[in-house]
Amino acid sequence: QGVEDEGGADGDGRAAVDLLGLFVLYFAIIGAAMSFGFAKVMCMTCLSRSDFLLVFASLQLSYLHTFAFGAILVTFFERAQSAAAACGLVSFVGLLQPIIGSMAFSGGLAAYPR
């Protein structure tokens, strides 16, 4: 009697949670399809000795991790354009670290011989 949910009188909080849950489910299904395709191609070519299930799981978890990180990062911005730019920049910086590390160990960063 007269008790409101935390989202207000019209239930916006519950609707937002339901929508987020549906979006996560949608992303997981799309990510699973893409993971399956990439894992199949990778296991037929460069990862022929690897277990298909492990390759698939690592790709799927990577997709879900990227989605969750982006969802958390977006909460810090008020405008969608700022959030999209920040997510792209942070994702790009996250890709640079393993690339620079692999180049350093392979000698790719050595411009001049010592």
Side-chain angles (χ1 to χ4, degrees):
Q1 53 173 310
V3 177
E4 296 180 3
D5 65 344
E6 295 175 14
D10 57 349
D12 288 339
R14 177 164 291 194
V17 170
D18 290 343
L19 183 62
L20 180 64
L22 288 175
F23 190 67
V24 169
L25 180 65
Y26 168 76
F27 188 81
I29 292 169
I30 297 299
M34 293 180 66
S35 295
F36 182 82
F38 280 119
K40 190 73 169 166
V41 169
M42 292 172 91
C43 285
M44 288 188 321
T45 58
C46 61
L47 297 174
S48 60
R49 293 184 172 193
S50 299
D51 183 27
F52 173 79
L53 187 60
L54 291 177
V55 174
F56 170 77
S58 65
L59 289 172
Q60 178 69 7
L61 290 175
S62 175
Y63 285 139
L64 292 176
H65 174 264
T66 303
F67 171 77
F69 181 71
I72 291 170
L73 193 63
V74 162
T75 61
F76 294 109
F77 298 96
E78 292 182 16
R79 294 181 357 169
Q81 191 173 13
S82 302
C87 285
L89 182 64
V90 169
S91 296
F92 180 70
V93 169
L95 289 174
L96 285 180
Q97 188 267 334
I99 292 171
I100 292 173
S102 67
M103 289 174 65
F105 284 114
S106 67
L109 289 179
Y112 303 102
R114 295 183 190 199

